[in-house]
Structure formats: structure tokens, C-alpha cells
């Protein structure tokens, strides 16, 4: 089976060498593996949370798409799309919003940091904080859950978001009684290189120490590399490769033989100026063919658009039926096919959704199960069994019982089901007799559906 690997690319800023080595190159490599079904998209709805500069958003989306394609992403293999081309994502965001605990969102790192900053400066706690920032994790959960992704490659700072996506998926599954969503796992690439920037700190836009990947062409690349900070050792003096940023950057592009040769040259006293030239030539050897493809794409935005539209189509082929099933489960159905419509007693066909059992072990280690209606309402909870086979036998009997065969003891708040004179299951407690009677109707319908199917 293929593992579905999904990741969102933020569309702010212009890609630099650190992005290429740390994210783009490994993701493109992973997408070529036979056991991976890759979904990569531009998180442009997330970008709106951070920026209201339309021109910048537009430019960044284009640059980033062109960069990934130039870096070798194959849109035939990978589902490559823009978040904003998938209307199912905001729709799912709302469904998840309605099961999201507000308290969980209060604890999200980015939101909490913003509140802490306000508190420190004596402002109102929520001053200047948009609901967009607050809802960021829910939108991200929808990105992931809409496609049943198994693995989500992200940086460490995103682990909490993946945990929230799991939490939201799990809650929804639980409330609606079915495994609607695959629960995703974060994939943290421990050995992925983080490149040092010009000043030796991690290369990052926020430190203003980046080396651009394509912007400014090879001239800019060379000039920026020449600005990498070094110690003051003179040509002829031995250099310490391990403490030199330019050696770390070199290693991220070179093979072992090249790396060994460069290390030796530094130990032998290669001057920093010459070392930078060697580094520039090595990086340029990898970047030049990609830059050529990048520039071709940037002069042909229509080609990018066509690729992204195809990607959106592939993505929606999955998300559209998924959202249709969710709408149905939530009761957002066409009035003419409503399950509660009195006019047409439902004939059970194979395609109809069926009631289902869900088995579990309780806190004492005993085997129990629940019966859910086709709509996902909990109908019955079995008594505990020490032997899982006994629980299985009871399930089998319930499948063939039918409403007519069920002995139900009706109490004011609920019901119990007896078999062979012994209580074997009970319903949840209902708040009043009317809800209990509705549940009774559902239970009888479910037992009939099960018996008709067998
Ligand atoms: N929040 C992610 C980041 O800042 C980007 C992102 C948006 C994402 N949606 C996603 C990553 C879904 C993985 C899966 O890097």
C-alpha cells in the first residue's frame, strides 16, 4: 500500500538555499518513491492570515510553484495544487470548527505567543489578534483530513498542529460513530540539514541572512556567498572546516569525495576568498539547470496555471466525495432523500449506509461493542465480556434478530435489550420520553436493516 504524504508550503517570501536544502529537495526526492502518494500544495489561505498585500501573495504563489516545478517536482506523479482552488477545504474547516474545543485553540503556540506579547506590554490580551490566527490550526487540520493523509512532513514547530489535526479527526470520528478520517502522523526528518546563513545562525528570512536560490541570478548568488562571515585567518593558515558555515553549505550540495577534498584544502590553508569561489561554483552547478527551468516557468504563468488546475482536479476527485459523505453524516442532506421522511419507508438496498458495530476493550480489559445507526447515532452498548468470542456471538445474533425478535425493556430514560431472558445491552440515557421513543424507532429500524442484509 502507498503511504499518502501531504504537506503545505507557505507562500510568503522568496525561496532561499535553506528552503531548498531543508524542504524542497527532500520533498521532491520523497515524491519519487514508489511507496509514496504525495500531495503538495501551496497554503495560500494560510498566507492571508499573515499578509494583506495582494501583490505579494500573488507573486509568492507563482514563484513558489515555479520553484518546486523547477526543482524537479513531477506534477504527473504528485498531486500539486493550491489550497484556494479546493472549496472543500474551507467547508471542512467549518465542520471541524464545530467540534473543536475552544480551550484547545487557546493553547495553540502561535496564538498564545501573541497573547503573551500583549500581556507583557499591558495591552488587552487579544489586541490585534485576528480570528484567522486563532483558527489557523483548524484550517490546517482540514488541509490534512480532507485527503486522509497518513504522514505529514513538517518542522518541529508544527508538531502541535498535527496533534490538533489528530484530535479534531478523532473527535469527529467519535461523535459521528465512524472512521471518517485517517488520523495523521507528523513526519519529522531528524537528519534534514538546516543550513547556516550568512552570519552563521540558521538561514532564515527573519534573520535577514539568506542566500537566494534563484532571485538575482548567478551574479546575486556569487555576491551573497562572498558575504558569508568567516574568521580572520589568513591564506596559508589552516582553517577549521567544522566551524565554518561555508563548509556546512558546501557539504549540503557535494558528494563525499568532493567534501573530503574541500575539507583537506581548508586544513591546508585555502584562503577564505578562494573557498567562497569553490563553494559558489559547486552550488551553481546544481542551481544553474534549475534556474533555467524556473525562468522559463516565470515567463509562462499560463503553463503553471494549467498544471495547478490539473492538480486541483486530481485533489478534488478525492475531496468532493469525501465532503459529500460528511455532509450526509451531519444531516445536510437533500430534503427529497431525507432518512426521516415519513412518506417513503426506506427499502434497504446494498448501497444504503448500514448500521454498524464498533468493538472496544473497556478500562477493565473486557470486550464490549456499540451499535450505531447508519447515521452514526449510538443505539446500544453491550454488557462486558471476558471472552471476545462471546461478544462476537452476541453481535452475530443481533444481526439476525430483527425488530420483531427484540425483547426491549422500556424505562423512562432508556431501554435494555434482553436475549434468552438475560440483559445483554442497553441504550444511552435519553433526556426525555420523546427522545427515548425516537431512539426506539431508530433501534428497531437498525435491527431490521441488519436482518434484511443478512
Ligand atoms: N503551517 C505550515 C507551516 O507553517 C504550513 C501548512 C499549512 C501545512 N497547511 C498544512 C503543513 C498542512 C502541513 C500540512 O509550515
Amino acid at each position: 500500500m502507498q503511504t499518502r504524504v501531504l504537506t503545505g508550503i507557505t507562500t510568503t517570501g522568496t525561496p532561499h538555499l535553506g528552503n531548498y536544502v531543508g524542504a524542497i529537495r527532500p520533498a521532491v526526492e520523497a515524491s519519487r518513491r514508489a511507496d509514496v502518494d504525495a500531495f503538495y500544495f501551496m497554503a495560500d489561505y494560510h498566507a492571508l492570515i499573515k499578509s494583506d498585500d495582494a501583490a505579494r501573495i500573488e507573486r509568492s504563489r507563482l514563484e513558489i510553484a515555479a520553484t518546486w516545478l523547477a526543482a524537479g517536482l513531477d506534477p504527473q506523479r504528485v498531486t500539486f495544487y493550491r489550497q484556494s482552488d479546493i472549496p472543500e477545504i474551507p467547508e471542512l474547516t467549518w465542520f471541524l470548527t464545530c467540534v473543536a474545543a475552544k480551550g484547545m485553540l487557546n493553547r495553540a503556540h502561535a496564538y498564545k505567543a501573541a497573547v503573551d506579547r500583549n500581556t507583557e506590554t499591558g495591552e488587552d490580551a487579544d489586541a490585534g489578534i485576528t480570528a484567522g490566527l486563532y483558527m489557523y490550526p483548524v484550517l490546517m487540520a482540514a488541509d490534512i483530513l480532507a485527503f486522509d493523509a497518513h504522514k505529514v512532513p513538517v518542522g518541529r514547530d508544527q508538531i502541535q498542529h498535527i496533534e490538533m489535526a489528530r484530535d479534531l479527526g478523532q473527535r469527529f470520528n467519535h461523535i459521528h460513530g465512524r472512521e471518517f478520517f485517517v488520523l495523521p502522523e507528523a513526519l519529522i526528518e531528524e537528519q534534514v540539514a538546516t543550513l547556516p546563513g550568512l552570519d552563521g545562525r540558521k538561514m532564515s528570512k527573519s534573520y535577514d541572512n539568506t542566500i537566494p536560490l534563484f532571485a538575482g541570478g548567478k551574479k546575486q548568488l556569487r555576491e551573497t556567498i562572498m558575504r558569508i562571515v568567516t574568521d580572520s585567518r589568513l591564506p596559508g593558515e589552516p582553517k577549521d572546516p567544522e566551524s565554518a558555515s561555508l563548509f556546512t553549505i558546501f557539504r549540503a550540495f557535494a558528494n563525499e569525495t568532493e567534501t573530503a577534498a574541500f575539507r583537506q584544502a581548508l586544513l591546508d590553508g585555502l584562503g577564505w576568498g578562494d573557498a567562497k569561489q569553490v563553494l559558489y561554483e559547486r552550488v551553481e552547478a546544481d542551481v544553474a539547470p534549475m534556474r533555467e527551468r524556473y525562468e522559463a516557468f516565470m515567463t509562462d504563468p499560463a503553463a503553471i496555471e494549467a498544471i495547478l488546475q490539473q492538480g486541483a482536479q486530481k485533489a478534488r476527485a478525492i475531496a468532493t466525495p469525501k465532503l459529500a459523505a460528511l455532509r450526509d453524516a451531519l444531516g445536510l442532506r437533500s430534503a427529497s432523500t431525507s432518512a426521516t421522511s415519513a412518506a417513503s419507508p426506506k427499502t434497504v438496498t446494498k448501497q444504503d449506509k448500514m448500521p454498524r458495530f464498533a468493538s472496544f476493550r473497556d478500562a477493565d480489559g473486557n470486550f464490549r461493542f456499540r451499535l450505531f445507526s447508519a447515521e452514526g447515532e449510538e443505539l446500544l452498548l453491550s454488557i462486558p465480556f471476558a471472552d471476545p468470542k462471546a461478544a462476537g456471538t452476541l453481535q452475530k445474533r443481533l444481526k439476525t434478530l430483527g425488530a420483531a425478535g427484540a425483547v426491549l425493556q422500556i424505562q423512562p430514560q432508556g431501554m435494555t435489550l434482553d436475549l434468552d431472558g438475560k440483559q445483554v445491552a442497553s441504550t444511552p440515557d435519553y433526556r426525555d420520553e420523546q427522545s427515548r421513543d425516537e431512539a426506539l424507532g431508530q433501534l428497531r429500524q437498525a435491527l431490521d436493516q441488519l436482518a434484511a442484509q443478512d
Side-chain angles (χ1 to χ4, degrees), residues 6-10 41 43 46 50 83 136 140 143-144 152-154 158 161-162:
L6 175 146
T7 200
I9 306 156
T10 48
F41 68 95
H46 280 105
K50 292 177 194 151
Q83 186 184 32
Y136 188 111
M140 183 159 158
D143 292 333
I144 300 168
V152 185
V154 283
Q158 297 292 313
H161 288 150
I162 310 300

PDB file of all heavy atoms in Angstrom, residues 6-10 41 43 46 50 83 136 140 143-144 152-154 158 161-162, ligand 1:
ATOM      1  N   LEU A   6       1.404  14.241   2.803  1.00  0.00           N
ATOM      2  CA  LEU A   6       0.844  15.539   2.402  1.00  0.00           C
ATOM      3  C   LEU A   6       1.568  16.657   3.131  1.00  0.00           C
ATOM      4  O   LEU A   6       1.813  16.549   4.325  1.00  0.00           O
ATOM      5  CB  LEU A   6      -0.647  15.551   2.737  1.00  0.00           C
ATOM      6  CG  LEU A   6      -1.414  16.865   2.515  1.00  0.00           C
ATOM      7  CD1 LEU A   6      -2.850  16.552   2.058  1.00  0.00           C
ATOM      8  CD2 LEU A   6      -1.463  17.716   3.769  1.00  0.00           C
ATOM      9  N   THR A   7       1.904  17.698   2.398  1.00  0.00           N
ATOM     10  CA  THR A   7       2.432  18.853   3.119  1.00  0.00           C
ATOM     11  C   THR A   7       2.065  20.164   2.448  1.00  0.00           C
ATOM     12  O   THR A   7       1.871  20.229   1.241  1.00  0.00           O
ATOM     13  CB  THR A   7       3.947  18.742   3.364  1.00  0.00           C
ATOM     14  OG1 THR A   7       4.297  19.629   4.439  1.00  0.00           O
ATOM     15  CG2 THR A   7       4.767  19.104   2.154  1.00  0.00           C
ATOM     16  N   GLY A   8       1.927  21.170   3.275  1.00  0.00           N
ATOM     17  CA  GLY A   8       1.574  22.509   2.806  1.00  0.00           C
ATOM     18  C   GLY A   8       2.811  23.380   2.765  1.00  0.00           C
ATOM     19  O   GLY A   8       3.671  23.303   3.634  1.00  0.00           O
ATOM     20  N   ILE A   9       2.898  24.192   1.731  1.00  0.00           N
ATOM     21  CA  ILE A   9       4.042  25.073   1.550  1.00  0.00           C
ATOM     22  C   ILE A   9       3.544  26.488   1.791  1.00  0.00           C
ATOM     23  O   ILE A   9       2.589  26.917   1.140  1.00  0.00           O
ATOM     24  CB  ILE A   9       4.579  24.936   0.109  1.00  0.00           C
ATOM     25  CG1 ILE A   9       4.871  23.459  -0.210  1.00  0.00           C
ATOM     26  CG2 ILE A   9       5.792  25.813  -0.097  1.00  0.00           C
ATOM     27  CD1 ILE A   9       4.849  23.147  -1.699  1.00  0.00           C
ATOM     28  N   THR A  10       4.157  27.188   2.718  1.00  0.00           N
ATOM     29  CA  THR A  10       3.690  28.554   2.969  1.00  0.00           C
ATOM     30  C   THR A  10       4.129  29.443   1.819  1.00  0.00           C
ATOM     31  O   THR A  10       5.237  29.325   1.310  1.00  0.00           O
ATOM     32  CB  THR A  10       4.240  29.116   4.287  1.00  0.00           C
ATOM     33  OG1 THR A  10       5.633  28.850   4.313  1.00  0.00           O
ATOM     34  CG2 THR A  10       3.602  28.450   5.477  1.00  0.00           C
ATOM     35  N   PHE A  41       0.880  21.111  -1.597  1.00  0.00           N
ATOM     36  CA  PHE A  41       0.051  22.243  -2.013  1.00  0.00           C
ATOM     37  C   PHE A  41       0.556  23.554  -1.437  1.00  0.00           C
ATOM     38  O   PHE A  41       1.271  23.583  -0.431  1.00  0.00           O
ATOM     39  CB  PHE A  41      -1.406  22.023  -1.586  1.00  0.00           C
ATOM     40  CG  PHE A  41      -1.599  22.064  -0.090  1.00  0.00           C
ATOM     41  CD1 PHE A  41      -1.995  23.235   0.538  1.00  0.00           C
ATOM     42  CD2 PHE A  41      -1.371  20.948   0.675  1.00  0.00           C
ATOM     43  CE1 PHE A  41      -2.168  23.287   1.904  1.00  0.00           C
ATOM     44  CE2 PHE A  41      -1.532  20.988   2.049  1.00  0.00           C
ATOM     45  CZ  PHE A  41      -1.932  22.147   2.665  1.00  0.00           C
ATOM     46  N   ALA A  43      -0.169  26.715   0.568  1.00  0.00           N
ATOM     47  CA  ALA A  43      -1.124  27.087   1.619  1.00  0.00           C
ATOM     48  C   ALA A  43      -1.430  28.576   1.519  1.00  0.00           C
ATOM     49  O   ALA A  43      -1.074  29.366   2.390  1.00  0.00           O
ATOM     50  CB  ALA A  43      -0.558  26.709   2.987  1.00  0.00           C
ATOM     51  N   HIS A  46      -3.676  30.110   4.222  1.00  0.00           N
ATOM     52  CA  HIS A  46      -2.905  30.424   5.426  1.00  0.00           C
ATOM     53  C   HIS A  46      -2.112  31.720   5.241  1.00  0.00           C
ATOM     54  O   HIS A  46      -1.937  32.478   6.192  1.00  0.00           O
ATOM     55  CB  HIS A  46      -1.953  29.275   5.768  1.00  0.00           C
ATOM     56  CG  HIS A  46      -2.629  28.139   6.489  1.00  0.00           C
ATOM     57  ND1 HIS A  46      -2.932  26.946   5.894  1.00  0.00           N
ATOM     58  CD2 HIS A  46      -3.054  28.039   7.758  1.00  0.00           C
ATOM     59  CE1 HIS A  46      -3.522  26.161   6.770  1.00  0.00           C
ATOM     60  NE2 HIS A  46      -3.609  26.788   7.916  1.00  0.00           N
ATOM     61  N   LYS A  50      -1.282  36.016   7.414  1.00  0.00           N
ATOM     62  CA  LYS A  50      -0.063  36.782   7.721  1.00  0.00           C
ATOM     63  C   LYS A  50       0.092  38.026   6.869  1.00  0.00           C
ATOM     64  O   LYS A  50       0.919  38.870   7.176  1.00  0.00           O
ATOM     65  CB  LYS A  50       1.167  35.892   7.502  1.00  0.00           C
ATOM     66  CG  LYS A  50       1.242  34.763   8.508  1.00  0.00           C
ATOM     67  CD  LYS A  50       2.432  33.848   8.235  1.00  0.00           C
ATOM     68  CE  LYS A  50       2.314  32.551   9.009  1.00  0.00           C
ATOM     69  NZ  LYS A  50       2.972  31.436   8.329  1.00  0.00           N
ATOM     70  N   GLN A  83      -4.241  25.437  -2.270  1.00  0.00           N
ATOM     71  CA  GLN A  83      -5.303  25.294  -1.264  1.00  0.00           C
ATOM     72  C   GLN A  83      -6.564  26.065  -1.681  1.00  0.00           C
ATOM     73  O   GLN A  83      -7.677  25.559  -1.575  1.00  0.00           O
ATOM     74  CB  GLN A  83      -4.739  25.862   0.041  1.00  0.00           C
ATOM     75  CG  GLN A  83      -5.579  25.719   1.275  1.00  0.00           C
ATOM     76  CD  GLN A  83      -4.890  26.436   2.444  1.00  0.00           C
ATOM     77  OE1 GLN A  83      -4.205  27.452   2.246  1.00  0.00           O
ATOM     78  NE2 GLN A  83      -5.046  25.907   3.627  1.00  0.00           N
ATOM     79  N   TYR A 136      -6.127  29.149  12.708  1.00  0.00           N
ATOM     80  CA  TYR A 136      -5.066  28.584  11.856  1.00  0.00           C
ATOM     81  C   TYR A 136      -4.994  27.059  11.981  1.00  0.00           C
ATOM     82  O   TYR A 136      -4.981  26.341  10.974  1.00  0.00           O
ATOM     83  CB  TYR A 136      -3.736  29.253  12.232  1.00  0.00           C
ATOM     84  CG  TYR A 136      -2.556  28.946  11.342  1.00  0.00           C
ATOM     85  CD1 TYR A 136      -2.003  29.919  10.508  1.00  0.00           C
ATOM     86  CD2 TYR A 136      -1.952  27.684  11.339  1.00  0.00           C
ATOM     87  CE1 TYR A 136      -0.905  29.655   9.704  1.00  0.00           C
ATOM     88  CE2 TYR A 136      -0.855  27.407  10.534  1.00  0.00           C
ATOM     89  CZ  TYR A 136      -0.332  28.391   9.723  1.00  0.00           C
ATOM     90  OH  TYR A 136       0.752  28.115   8.928  1.00  0.00           O
ATOM     91  N   MET A 140      -5.605  24.116   9.008  1.00  0.00           N
ATOM     92  CA  MET A 140      -4.533  23.170   8.694  1.00  0.00           C
ATOM     93  C   MET A 140      -5.019  21.726   8.872  1.00  0.00           C
ATOM     94  O   MET A 140      -4.687  20.848   8.070  1.00  0.00           O
ATOM     95  CB  MET A 140      -3.324  23.459   9.585  1.00  0.00           C
ATOM     96  CG  MET A 140      -2.149  22.578   9.293  1.00  0.00           C
ATOM     97  SD  MET A 140      -0.619  23.321   9.900  1.00  0.00           S
ATOM     98  CE  MET A 140       0.399  21.849  10.022  1.00  0.00           C
ATOM     99  N   ASP A 143      -6.889  20.816   5.808  1.00  0.00           N
ATOM    100  CA  ASP A 143      -5.959  20.510   4.713  1.00  0.00           C
ATOM    101  C   ASP A 143      -5.587  19.033   4.719  1.00  0.00           C
ATOM    102  O   ASP A 143      -5.471  18.397   3.673  1.00  0.00           O
ATOM    103  CB  ASP A 143      -4.619  21.251   4.893  1.00  0.00           C
ATOM    104  CG  ASP A 143      -4.718  22.751   4.725  1.00  0.00           C
ATOM    105  OD1 ASP A 143      -5.620  23.193   4.007  1.00  0.00           O
ATOM    106  OD2 ASP A 143      -3.876  23.457   5.320  1.00  0.00           O
ATOM    107  N   ILE A 144      -5.350  18.542   5.924  1.00  0.00           N
ATOM    108  CA  ILE A 144      -4.799  17.194   6.083  1.00  0.00           C
ATOM    109  C   ILE A 144      -5.915  16.145   6.038  1.00  0.00           C
ATOM    110  O   ILE A 144      -5.823  15.144   5.327  1.00  0.00           O
ATOM    111  CB  ILE A 144      -4.038  17.105   7.425  1.00  0.00           C
ATOM    112  CG1 ILE A 144      -2.885  18.126   7.441  1.00  0.00           C
ATOM    113  CG2 ILE A 144      -3.536  15.696   7.681  1.00  0.00           C
ATOM    114  CD1 ILE A 144      -2.259  18.321   8.812  1.00  0.00           C
ATOM    115  N   VAL A 152       2.611  13.559   7.556  1.00  0.00           N
ATOM    116  CA  VAL A 152       2.732  14.974   7.241  1.00  0.00           C
ATOM    117  C   VAL A 152       4.140  15.446   7.606  1.00  0.00           C
ATOM    118  O   VAL A 152       4.452  15.622   8.783  1.00  0.00           O
ATOM    119  CB  VAL A 152       1.670  15.792   8.015  1.00  0.00           C
ATOM    120  CG1 VAL A 152       1.723  17.248   7.597  1.00  0.00           C
ATOM    121  CG2 VAL A 152       0.281  15.216   7.787  1.00  0.00           C
ATOM    122  N   PRO A 153       5.009  15.612   6.603  1.00  0.00           N
ATOM    123  CA  PRO A 153       6.357  16.096   6.895  1.00  0.00           C
ATOM    124  C   PRO A 153       6.307  17.571   7.277  1.00  0.00           C
ATOM    125  O   PRO A 153       5.810  18.383   6.505  1.00  0.00           O
ATOM    126  CB  PRO A 153       7.117  15.927   5.569  1.00  0.00           C
ATOM    127  CG  PRO A 153       6.168  15.287   4.614  1.00  0.00           C
ATOM    128  CD  PRO A 153       4.784  15.393   5.160  1.00  0.00           C
ATOM    129  N   VAL A 154       6.778  17.872   8.458  1.00  0.00           N
ATOM    130  CA  VAL A 154       6.773  19.265   8.929  1.00  0.00           C
ATOM    131  C   VAL A 154       7.986  19.509   9.812  1.00  0.00           C
ATOM    132  O   VAL A 154       8.625  18.573  10.282  1.00  0.00           O
ATOM    133  CB  VAL A 154       5.512  19.589   9.782  1.00  0.00           C
ATOM    134  CG1 VAL A 154       4.285  19.780   8.918  1.00  0.00           C
ATOM    135  CG2 VAL A 154       5.278  18.540  10.847  1.00  0.00           C
ATOM    136  N   GLN A 158       5.736  22.661  13.984  1.00  0.00           N
ATOM    137  CA  GLN A 158       4.379  22.345  13.520  1.00  0.00           C
ATOM    138  C   GLN A 158       3.788  21.101  14.184  1.00  0.00           C
ATOM    139  O   GLN A 158       2.655  20.715  13.883  1.00  0.00           O
ATOM    140  CB  GLN A 158       4.379  22.132  12.001  1.00  0.00           C
ATOM    141  CG  GLN A 158       4.789  23.367  11.203  1.00  0.00           C
ATOM    142  CD  GLN A 158       3.759  24.459  11.311  1.00  0.00           C
ATOM    143  OE1 GLN A 158       2.565  24.219  11.164  1.00  0.00           O
ATOM    144  NE2 GLN A 158       4.212  25.669  11.591  1.00  0.00           N
ATOM    145  N   HIS A 161       0.396  21.402  15.700  1.00  0.00           N
ATOM    146  CA  HIS A 161      -0.698  21.485  14.729  1.00  0.00           C
ATOM    147  C   HIS A 161      -1.136  20.104  14.260  1.00  0.00           C
ATOM    148  O   HIS A 161      -2.318  19.861  14.025  1.00  0.00           O
ATOM    149  CB  HIS A 161      -0.283  22.343  13.522  1.00  0.00           C
ATOM    150  CG  HIS A 161      -0.188  23.799  13.846  1.00  0.00           C
ATOM    151  ND1 HIS A 161       0.689  24.648  13.210  1.00  0.00           N
ATOM    152  CD2 HIS A 161      -0.857  24.552  14.742  1.00  0.00           C
ATOM    153  CE1 HIS A 161       0.543  25.874  13.700  1.00  0.00           C
ATOM    154  NE2 HIS A 161      -0.390  25.841  14.635  1.00  0.00           N
ATOM    155  N   ILE A 162      -0.181  19.206  14.086  1.00  0.00           N
ATOM    156  CA  ILE A 162      -0.540  17.853  13.646  1.00  0.00           C
ATOM    157  C   ILE A 162      -1.307  17.140  14.767  1.00  0.00           C
ATOM    158  O   ILE A 162      -2.274  16.418  14.525  1.00  0.00           O
ATOM    159  CB  ILE A 162       0.713  17.034  13.256  1.00  0.00           C
ATOM    160  CG1 ILE A 162       1.596  17.814  12.294  1.00  0.00           C
ATOM    161  CG2 ILE A 162       0.309  15.682  12.659  1.00  0.00           C
ATOM    162  CD1 ILE A 162       0.968  18.219  11.002  1.00  0.00           C
TER     163      ILE A 162
HETATM  164  N1  LIG B   1       1.599  25.586   8.848  1.00  0.00           N
HETATM  165  C1  LIG B   1       2.552  25.021   7.922  1.00  0.00           C
HETATM  166  C2  LIG B   1       3.889  25.783   8.059  1.00  0.00           C
HETATM  167  O1  LIG B   1       3.894  26.895   8.545  1.00  0.00           O
HETATM  168  C3  LIG B   1       2.057  25.079   6.502  1.00  0.00           C
HETATM  169  C4  LIG B   1       0.850  24.227   6.294  1.00  0.00           C
HETATM  170  C5  LIG B   1      -0.425  24.649   6.063  1.00  0.00           C
HETATM  171  C6  LIG B   1       0.836  22.829   6.319  1.00  0.00           C
HETATM  172  N2  LIG B   1      -1.247  23.576   5.955  1.00  0.00           N
HETATM  173  C7  LIG B   1      -0.516  22.441   6.102  1.00  0.00           C
HETATM  174  C8  LIG B   1       1.823  21.856   6.522  1.00  0.00           C
HETATM  175  C9  LIG B   1      -0.896  21.094   6.089  1.00  0.00           C
HETATM  176  C10 LIG B   1       1.437  20.521   6.502  1.00  0.00           C
HETATM  177  C11 LIG B   1       0.094  20.148   6.286  1.00  0.00           C
HETATM  178  O2  LIG B   1       4.883  25.261   7.665  1.00  0.00           O
END
